[in-house]
Amino acid sequence: MADEVNDFIEAAGLLEYDPEAIRRIYQRNPSRLLTRLWQTLIPIALFLGKIFWEKTIGVLKDQEKARDRSKEFTNLLVKLGPAFIKAGQALSTRPDVVPQLVLEELAQLQDQLPGFDGDLAMACIEQDLNVEIHDIFEKIEKEPISAASLGQVHKGILKNGHIVAVKVQRPGLREQITLDLYIVRNIAYWLKANIKLIRSDLVALIDELGKRVFEEMDYLNEADNAERFRELHKHNEQIAVPKIYREVTSRRVLTMEWIDGVKLTNIEKVKELGFKPKEMIEIGVSCSLQQLLEHGFFHADPHPGNILALKNGKLCYLDFGMMSNVTKESRTGLIKAVVHLVNKNFDKLSKDFVELGFLPREVNLEPIVPAFEKVFSKAVKVGVNKMDFKRVTDDLSGVMYKFPFQLPPYYALIIRSLITLEGIALSVDPKFKILGAAYPYFAKRLIEDEDPGLRESLKEMLFDKNAFMWERLEDLIGSATLEAELNIDDLLDQIINFIFSEKGLVLRNEIVKIIAEKLDRLSWGAIQKINHGLPVKLRSKTIEKSLNNYKLNLKTNNKVNNIVNVIPGFKKRMFFKKIPRIIKEPVTRKMGLDVFKKTSEKGMVRLVKIAAGVEV
């Protein structure tokens, strides 16, 4: 059994993905390579031959036949093993490489394989941890609880009585993965050199896949990811992360706290816990957006088995092998792209795609802008809350396949993550829209974040040329208040910051107008009361006639009231606390003078009219 659990690749000194080192290893061991070549190239060649022939005679023009071949391709990947399954999953989020029909089938690819022998798993644990099983565990079940392409999970009890989940890697996995990556990389190299229709760098795609799979196979790396994720979300009372037991964890064995939970897709079981499935989904969406836009470190594989509802109302994340980082610049760029999408500014949206690395800087954007307009116009018209994310990404896939797009690795994983999350949510709520659920978080970030790029995006959102769009401000604040963690005090600070910024001039003028009209109304009301209190002979007939004719224009005032009313939990005392700060602002004095000027002008005009006997 020792030969079965030995790691040939690790013994060769390869702990990280290195295509040159892999090439040297198999040049020294050609027999290992030849055996696997026979197992893989024959079925691949037969399949490609069939595709070439059917394409030549026009059979694949039939959509049903083309879909059958796409399903056959997906099944072939499963038969060929873990590396090909991972390659298929990577391709399922690459519309710049794969046609839409194939994408749809690859999206169904399940990362599941039968488990391996329990005795072999125990031998792996003993070899990797260099200790006898009975010295670590009070009890461990030999039958796996679950199995996937890279390993399987056993339930155990440590000597200290703690119940744990023990993930054990498949014996020989590294060699099989490494061999397959070497073979697939050479196929990609040949395709790149000989098939000019393929724009994307397939070799770079395989290298990115190799890097990620090697990270996923290193359970010490997964332990690091889990602990980092746990630290980032330690203040979030709605999120749980299992504890890692480092003393019984190695490259091929991962031991973590056992979690008793319910899959979110099991609606009845979630209800039995005493929680609404929809609310649990909202927690998951909020957490995913926090990972993506705030921390820049996100779980790229949130399938139903990896997110569990707990009896204490928390949502627990599992399996941290597939994680990804998003830079601060990319996070800001994504929010800016959402702003340009909502504003239907497709010219700037196309430039966002360049800045985010989707398009080369030298590309001609002229034909891409109308393509974006065609894809997004209809979606934006129905509103962000009703936008169908899957349909939009499907339509966008066609554009990406047609034009020279190259998806950054982080974006492919974001799409995978959001589509998986939306799939879970749809099983709970058929009307769920991931973008509608996400928009409040985008709005909150746009209002609260001090990043200069996002400050500029906020200005773009609120102005149409030089006109201030009250409706957009009301919508933005209304959406932001739907986010559970919104701090009303911080929100007021951000609104004040904006009012006193350079772009806030139009809004300041509107505020001056409101205050001047209010003061004018108060002074006119006082004059009317004084006049009414005088003896009849001394009363001004002109003022009495104007009593019911004078109406204040409250249009702008109502807009401000509407905005205040959409903020839940807003109290006037919150605003009064901000008055000392407002008074200290340099432009406050100028605003005060402008109010005095407008009020005086209105008063003088009215007095002149009254003196002339003209109704006010």
Side-chain angles (χ1 to χ4, degrees):
M1 191 172 285
D3 289 340
E4 291 183 76
V5 299
N6 285 336
D7 192 328
F8 164 71
I9 293 299
E10 192 165 324
L14 187 69
L15 299 179
E16 296 179 353
Y17 179 72
D18 182 343
E20 276 304 304
I22 292 171
R23 182 183 62 80
R24 291 193 297 270
I25 288 171
Y26 289 113
Q27 280 182 342
R28 295 194 299 267
N29 299 273
S31 60
R32 292 178 182 269
L33 175 61
L34 290 171
T35 302
R36 188 58 180 160
L37 277 172
W38 178 260
Q39 294 171 344
T40 56
L41 289 188
I42 297 299
I44 289 172
L46 288 173
F47 178 75
L48 291 177
K50 185 191 295 184
I51 293 296
F52 176 77
W53 172 248
E54 290 184 346
K55 188 172 179 63
T56 302
I57 62 175
V59 171
L60 294 183
K61 289 180 181 178
D62 182 338
Q63 286 288 303
E64 284 304 311
K65 183 62 72 174
R67 187 172 294 280
D68 287 343
R69 291 293 168 259
S70 298
K71 288 179 181 176
E72 190 177 334
F73 174 59
T74 302
N75 292 333
L76 176 62
L77 294 179
V78 174
K79 289 176 184 175
L80 291 174
F84 288 90
I85 292 173
K86 293 293 180 185
Q89 289 175 332
L91 286 172
S92 71
T93 54
R94 294 302 300 261
D96 56 328
V97 180
V98 182
Q100 180 60 32
L101 201 62
V102 182
L103 278 179
E104 290 173 9
E105 293 304 321
L106 288 175
Q108 309 301 318
L109 197 58
Q110 296 296 310
D111 187 9
Q112 292 179 338
L113 287 175
F116 56 92
D117 184 69
D119 289 326
L120 197 55
M122 299 304 110
C124 283
I125 294 172
E126 290 185 335
Q127 187 191 67
D128 246 48
L129 298 179
N130 196 28
V131 66
E132 297 289 327
I133 284 284
H134 57 78
D135 290 334
I136 318 168
F137 298 101
E138 192 68 40
K139 179 185 177 183
I140 185 167
E141 296 176 8
K142 287 189 179 181
E143 280 298 310
I145 301 298
S146 63
S149 58
L150 301 188
Q152 62 190 32
V153 177
H154 297 260
K155 187 176 183 180
I157 303 174
L158 295 174
K159 286 289 186 180
N160 60 12
H162 293 181
I163 303 174
V164 292
V166 185
K167 185 155 77 168
V168 186
Q169 196 170 107
R170 287 180 181 275
L173 177 74
R174 285 171 177 268
E175 181 174 359
Q176 187 180 349
I177 290 276
T178 307
L179 261 172
D180 289 348
L181 286 171
Y182 179 65
I183 292 167
V184 173
R185 190 176 191 273
N186 280 286
I187 293 171
Y189 186 82
W190 183 88
L191 289 172
K192 182 183 175 183
N194 295 280
I195 310 297
K196 302 302 179 186
L197 289 174
I198 299 176
R199 292 189 313 268
S200 296
D201 189 343
L202 292 181
V203 176
L205 179 63
I206 297 302
D207 285 343
E208 176 63 29
L209 171 67
K211 179 174 175 290
R212 291 203 172 278
V213 173
F214 261 71
E215 288 174 355
E216 212 175 333
M217 287 192 296
D218 184 353
Y219 289 171
L220 289 174
N221 179 66
E222 183 173 346
D224 290 342
N225 288 341
E227 289 178 341
R228 181 183 173 189
F229 193 90
R230 185 186 177 100
E231 179 64 23
L232 287 171
H233 297 274
K234 66 182 180 182
H235 299 301
N236 190 337
E237 296 180 356
Q238 296 177 311
I239 300 299
V241 180
K243 176 187 174 183
I244 301 296
Y245 291 84
R246 284 280 184 177
E247 64 278 11
V248 278
T249 291
S250 64
R251 288 190 185 277
R252 294 191 296 169
V253 178
L254 176 63
T255 306
M256 68 181 77
E257 174 188 359
W258 178 264
I259 300 294
D260 277 314
V262 176
K263 291 181 182 181
L264 293 184
T265 48
N266 193 336
I267 297 173
E268 292 307 315
K269 287 286 185 182
V270 173
K271 287 179 179 177
E272 285 176 18
L273 291 176
F275 307 107
K276 295 179 181 178
K278 193 174 178 180
E279 289 177 358
M280 301 303 287
I281 289 292
E282 287 170 358
I283 294 171
V285 170
S286 180
C287 182
S288 292
L289 291 164
Q290 190 178 45
Q291 294 169 44
L292 175 61
L293 297 174
E294 191 171 326
H295 302 314
F297 181 66
F298 69 95
H299 196 298
D301 193 23
H303 66 71
N306 286 343
I307 308 180
L308 303 178
L310 307 186
K311 61 183 179 182
N312 61 5
K314 293 186 177 184
L315 210 60
C316 183
Y317 280 78
L318 304 174
D319 194 349
F320 299 91
M322 193 183 294
M323 305 292 291
S324 187
N325 292 286
V326 185
T327 64
K328 191 171 188 293
E329 292 74 22
S330 294
R331 300 200 299 269
T332 300
L334 286 169
I335 295 176
K336 287 169 71 175
V338 170
V339 170
H340 293 144
L341 174 61
V342 172
N343 284 1
K344 300 180 185 178
N345 193 330
F346 301 114
D347 182 54
K348 285 190 175 181
L349 182 63
S350 64
K351 291 173 183 174
D352 291 333
F353 273 70
V354 173
E355 293 300 319
L356 287 166
F358 290 74
L359 290 162
R361 293 194 177 275
E362 65 276 8
V363 73
N364 178 17
L365 295 176
E366 282 187 24
I368 296 175
V369 173
F372 276 165
E373 191 168 355
K374 185 178 179 181
V375 168
F376 292 121
S377 286
K378 188 176 179 182
V380 175
K381 191 175 181 180
V382 300
V384 176
N385 292 336
K386 297 179 181 178
M387 198 181 292
D388 190 324
F389 181 67
K390 181 70 168 64
R391 183 173 294 176
V392 170
T393 53
D394 286 349
D395 291 344
L396 189 58
S397 296
V399 176
M400 289 186 170
Y401 193 66
K402 181 179 178 182
F403 294 101
F405 279 82
Q406 289 191 336
L407 268 66
Y410 76 87
Y411 178 77
L413 290 174
I414 288 172
I415 290 296
R416 174 193 173 94
S417 177
L418 292 180
I419 287 178
T420 305
L421 193 63
E422 185 173 54
I424 296 172
L426 286 170
S427 68
V428 175
D429 179 7
K431 295 181 180 180
F432 180 85
K433 303 295 181 188
I434 188 74
L435 291 178
Y439 191 64
Y441 192 89
F442 275 94
K444 174 177 176 283
R445 288 302 306 275
L446 203 56
I447 290 171
E448 290 187 348
D449 205 304
E450 293 287 352
D451 182 272
L454 293 185
R455 295 291 90 205
E456 189 60 35
S457 293
L458 178 61
K459 293 169 188 174
E460 284 186 44
M461 173 71 91
L462 298 180
F463 285 86
D464 186 0
K465 296 180 180 177
N466 289 323
F468 186 81
M469 307 302 289
W470 285 97
E471 294 80 7
R472 288 183 188 174
L473 179 60
E474 183 182 342
D475 179 62
L476 193 67
I477 292 176
S479 296
T481 56
L482 296 175
E483 179 61 29
E485 296 181 8
L486 183 73
N487 186 307
I488 302 299
D489 198 55
D490 288 345
L491 175 62
L492 286 174
D493 280 331
Q494 294 302 325
I495 293 172
I496 292 168
N497 288 343
F498 179 75
I499 289 170
F500 290 105
S501 69
E502 185 182 339
K503 269 283 188 179
L505 177 61
V506 176
L507 188 53
R508 288 199 298 274
N509 289 340
E510 293 283 355
I511 291 170
V512 166
K513 184 180 175 183
I514 292 168
I515 295 172
E517 286 184 347
K518 285 250 184 187
L519 289 175
D520 182 59
R521 189 184 190 194
L522 286 171
S523 62
W524 179 235
I527 291 169
Q528 288 173 326
K529 283 183 180 179
I530 292 169
N531 185 67
H532 188 68
L534 293 172
V536 176
K537 290 182 180 181
L538 297 177
R539 290 179 192 173
S540 166
K541 303 297 183 191
T542 306
I543 294 176
E544 285 190 330
K545 286 179 182 177
S546 303
L547 187 61
N548 297 317
N549 294 338
Y550 179 73
K551 291 183 180 178
L552 176 65
N553 179 15
L554 293 174
K555 188 176 179 183
T556 305
N557 190 30
N558 288 337
K559 289 174 181 175
V560 174
N561 287 334
N562 289 343
I563 291 169
V564 170
N565 289 335
V566 300
I567 305 176
F570 176 79
K571 306 291 182 187
K572 287 183 180 179
R573 56 182 169 78
M574 293 179 176
F575 173 74
F576 292 143
K577 284 170 62 179
K578 305 294 178 184
I579 289 177
R581 181 200 158 178
I582 293 170
I583 291 171
K584 290 178 183 178
E585 290 288 343
V587 294
T588 302
R589 184 170 177 274
K590 184 182 181 305
M591 289 176 70
L593 291 172
D594 288 342
V595 168
F596 177 75
K597 183 181 176 182
K598 284 183 178 295
T599 308
S600 300
E601 285 175 356
K602 286 176 178 288
M604 288 300 294
V605 169
R606 186 175 296 110
L607 286 173
V608 170
K609 286 184 176 181
I610 291 170
V614 178
E615 287 186 20
V616 180

